[in-house]
Amino acid sequence: MKRFILSLAACLVVVSMAPASARASAPPTAPAGSIATNGLQGQVGGAHDPGSATGEEPAAHGPSAVDAGHGHRNIGEVLPLWSCIPFAGMLLSIALFPLLAPDFWHHHFGKVSAFWAATLAIPFLLAFRGLALYEILHIIIVDYIPFIILLWSLYTVSGGILLRGSLRGTPLVNVILLLIGTALASWMGTTGAAMLMIRPFLRANAHRKDRTFMVVFFIFLVANAGGSLTPLGDPPLFLGFLHGVSFFWTMKILPHMLTVAGVLLTIYFFLDLRAFRKEKVEAPDDGVKEPLKLDGVHNFIFLAGIVGSVLMSGVVEWGHFQIFGIHMAYQDLARDGLLVAMGILSLVTTSINVREDNDFTWFPILEVAYLFIGIFITMIPCLLILKAGLKGELAFLIRSVSRPAHYFWVTGALSSFLDNAPTYLTFFNTALGSFFAGATEAQAVPLLMTEKVLYLEAISAGAVFFGAVSYIGNAPNFMVRSIAEEAGTPMPSFFGYILRYSLVFLIPTFLLVTLIFF
């Protein structure tokens, strides 16, 4: 734990980083703009963003906003697409180093992450000075730190729940486990369900030879598609809830989710059945069949506390404050404090033996902490360009979006590699501006939920479902992969995952969803 805290502090210091893109000079005053919202804000209930129906950024709260009196510069309007090169370098490092230099990567992935963050931050700061510093601090304070706190709390609490007994991973048992995880994901979040279910799933199949495809389908279903039915399930849906989409509106995606889950579970069952028969591996039998039982059951109270804290931060309004010029909400600070408390209580009240028997270590959360600071920093230009809408380098893409199928695929494609919450917000606002120009958000959102419901369904389903396309499409994907590898299950490389599984199984499934619903 001490190592984790020190590493997090080091990452924060490293953050003098940003993209060599625009050449215009920034005013010397403190900046005021920020990324509208992001995955963390969405997932953990960030401050309400009163953006307009046309996607216009809300009034800023920094000193320069006061001085200028008429808003602030949107850096995304002047950033070229090549400013996303550090982000591409970060993704390629995650994809290639484990294959080409596995020993180097295992010992130095944190340094690689810091390197790419620095290649983005240093020229970014030189080009935009105060504005760049604001964007970097914003994504760290508002996004990254709450992101890590949430993942740490869920990882810690779920690691204290141990399923004992003779559970053997047959095709039928595995399908049941995947069904349970998929059902839980909408109510405790994809991260919570994935962290709760992955260890029992791996342990049940420890005697099986081919486990890789099992974990991949676990990511498809439990870590992504299952979280599509409530705002608690996935960050973009929670963001929609904060912007006026009613809590149970997302149940309209139930037919879409059942289609995806039904297709993937059917494919999984036959893949598992074939592998099971081919392996001819008998489950180890020591002569004693232990009944199934749970140790550390009290940790479910802490899981409920985590879910409640997230929901609380999105529905109450306790006022705001500033830290380093970053606009923060007191309810978000309270949420993060409660999440840390839940994790500490779990550590204190759960027997060490339970965690040891559960193969609990800190490495997976450390790996996520190191790598995602680089991912968050380097994707700043990508998010800013996306946020710039028709004034940014991706204007051609936004202009091409006009039909529900377009919204589904474009939102999904960007969500596969970028933070799916700001992607959701971008096309959510694009739809509002296209259909209800001039209306306030309070007027437009109810109309979007009723008169243009197909478009909102497409945006919501695309943002959630496509998170499974890559390891970085959704937060739990990478953690599941790390836990599986630590448990001895070989996992495909970054591109191997996409080429061997996403393109083969997910994309045809999404084409079917498009034909049926959009």
Side-chain angles (χ1 to χ4, degrees):
M1 191 62 192
K2 179 180 178 183
R3 183 183 166 197
F4 171 70
I5 294 172
L6 290 175
S7 66
L8 180 57
C11 288
L12 295 180
V13 172
V14 160
V15 171
S16 56
M17 17 193 154
S21 44
R23 301 171 180 80
S25 60
T29 53
S34 71
I35 304 171
T37 43
N38 45 47
L40 250 314
Q41 232 172 331
Q43 174 145 2
V44 296
H48 296 255
D49 181 357
S52 71
T54 60
E56 184 179 353
E57 192 174 18
H61 299 276
S64 61
V66 176
D67 295 340
H70 52 75
H72 61 279
R73 287 177 64 196
N74 185 343
I75 305 177
E77 295 177 9
V78 295
L79 284 172
L81 281 178
W82 56 261
S83 63
C84 298
I85 288 176
F87 180 63
M90 185 72 204
L91 296 189
L92 287 172
S93 296
I94 294 172
L96 299 178
F97 271 120
L99 287 176
L100 304 179
D103 290 339
F104 171 83
W105 179 252
H106 182 75
H107 292 96
H108 301 289
F109 60 82
K111 297 183 181 71
V112 174
S113 179
F115 166 79
W116 286 115
T119 62
L120 182 284
I122 292 172
F124 194 32
L125 287 167
L126 291 175
F128 293 108
R129 293 176 288 176
L131 289 171
L133 180 63
Y134 180 89
E135 297 295 352
I136 293 169
L137 289 176
H138 185 277
I139 206 165
I140 291 172
I141 294 173
V142 177
D143 303 326
Y144 176 74
I145 292 177
F147 169 78
I148 290 299
I149 288 174
L150 176 64
L151 290 189
W152 174 83
S153 62
L154 287 168
Y155 181 78
T156 302
V157 172
S158 63
I161 301 172
L162 172 62
L163 178 64
R164 297 187 187 273
S166 302
L167 183 64
R168 303 306 181 198
T170 65
L172 180 59
V173 168
N174 288 337
V175 166
I176 292 173
L177 289 175
L178 290 175
L179 272 172
I180 293 171
T182 303
L184 288 174
S186 283
W187 304 98
M188 60 187 300
T190 53
T191 302
M195 292 303 98
L196 178 66
M197 296 296 298
I198 185 58
R199 288 187 181 89
F201 187 71
L202 290 172
R203 196 174 296 113
N205 291 282
H207 64 288
R208 298 284 300 276
K209 290 181 180 179
D210 185 5
R211 301 185 298 273
T212 301
F213 76 93
M214 300 178 184
V215 179
V216 170
F217 274 80
F218 183 97
I219 292 173
F220 289 172
L221 290 158
V222 182
N224 288 278
S228 56
L229 299 186
T230 77
L232 295 173
D234 217 35
L237 303 184
F238 195 87
L239 191 58
F241 172 64
L242 296 182
H243 281 264
V245 178
S246 58
F247 188 90
F248 289 105
W249 178 91
T250 45
M251 291 299 292
K252 290 183 178 294
I253 308 176
L254 178 62
H256 312 64
M257 191 273 275
L258 290 177
T259 300
V260 171
V263 169
L264 293 178
L265 280 170
T266 301
I267 294 171
Y268 172 83
F269 177 77
F270 285 106
L271 287 176
D272 200 359
L273 186 63
R274 185 184 68 174
F276 188 75
R277 290 173 175 173
K278 182 180 179 180
E279 290 172 3
K280 297 180 181 178
V281 175
E282 294 293 333
D285 187 2
D286 53 9
V288 178
K289 287 193 175 182
E290 298 182 18
L292 297 178
K293 69 171 184 175
L294 285 172
D295 280 352
V297 177
H298 68 282
N299 281 286
F300 282 105
I301 298 173
F302 303 138
L303 277 178
I306 291 172
V307 173
S309 299
V310 170
L311 185 58
M312 173 275 298
S313 67
V315 298
V316 302
E317 181 62 58
W318 292 341
H320 300 82
F321 66 99
Q322 288 193 11
I323 177 170
F324 301 122
I326 309 298
H327 199 61
M328 301 285 291
Y330 283 110
Q331 64 267 20
D332 295 343
L333 192 64
R335 173 204 64 217
D336 292 343
L338 288 170
L339 295 179
V340 171
M342 294 298 107
I344 292 174
L345 286 171
S346 176
L347 287 172
V348 171
T349 60
T350 305
S351 168
I352 294 177
N353 292 333
V354 170
R355 294 189 184 276
E356 289 177 347
D357 292 345
N358 213 11
D359 301 321
F360 180 90
T361 72
W362 291 111
F363 180 80
I365 189 66
L366 283 170
E367 184 179 26
V368 169
Y370 285 134
L371 292 181
F372 272 81
I373 185 63
I375 291 170
F376 271 62
I377 295 295
T378 56
M379 74 178 177
I380 287 175
C382 308
L383 294 179
L384 288 175
I385 292 171
L386 186 61
K387 179 191 167 189
L390 295 177
K391 296 181 180 179
E393 288 285 300
L394 288 175
F396 69 93
L397 186 63
I398 294 175
R399 285 194 188 96
S400 67
V401 177
S402 59
R403 302 179 63 178
H406 300 162
Y407 278 91
F408 177 67
W409 282 92
V410 175
T411 303
L414 291 173
S415 296
S416 299
F417 299 96
L418 294 177
D419 197 332
N420 60 359
T423 303
Y424 170 95
L425 185 65
T426 296
F427 291 100
F428 178 83
N429 282 329
T430 298
L432 292 179
S434 298
F435 300 120
F436 312 110
T440 65
E441 186 175 85
Q443 295 170 330
V445 172
L447 296 175
L448 185 64
M449 289 190 294
T450 53
E451 295 181 7
K452 300 293 181 180
V453 64
L454 205 57
Y455 290 86
L456 186 53
E457 288 176 2
I459 295 166
S460 303
V464 176
F465 294 164
F466 278 79
V469 169
S470 78
Y471 280 133
I472 68 165
N474 201 16
N477 301 3
F478 209 94
M479 293 191 69
V480 168
R481 191 205 76 162
S482 184
I483 292 170
E485 287 183 331
E486 193 176 44
T489 299
M491 292 298 293
S493 66
F494 186 87
F495 289 124
Y497 174 93
I498 295 172
L499 295 174
R500 292 173 53 196
Y501 294 99
S502 295
L503 292 180
V504 174
F505 300 112
L506 282 182
I507 299 306
T509 303
F510 297 157
L511 285 171
L512 179 63
V513 169
T514 305
L515 290 173
I516 295 174
F517 300 105
F518 304 126

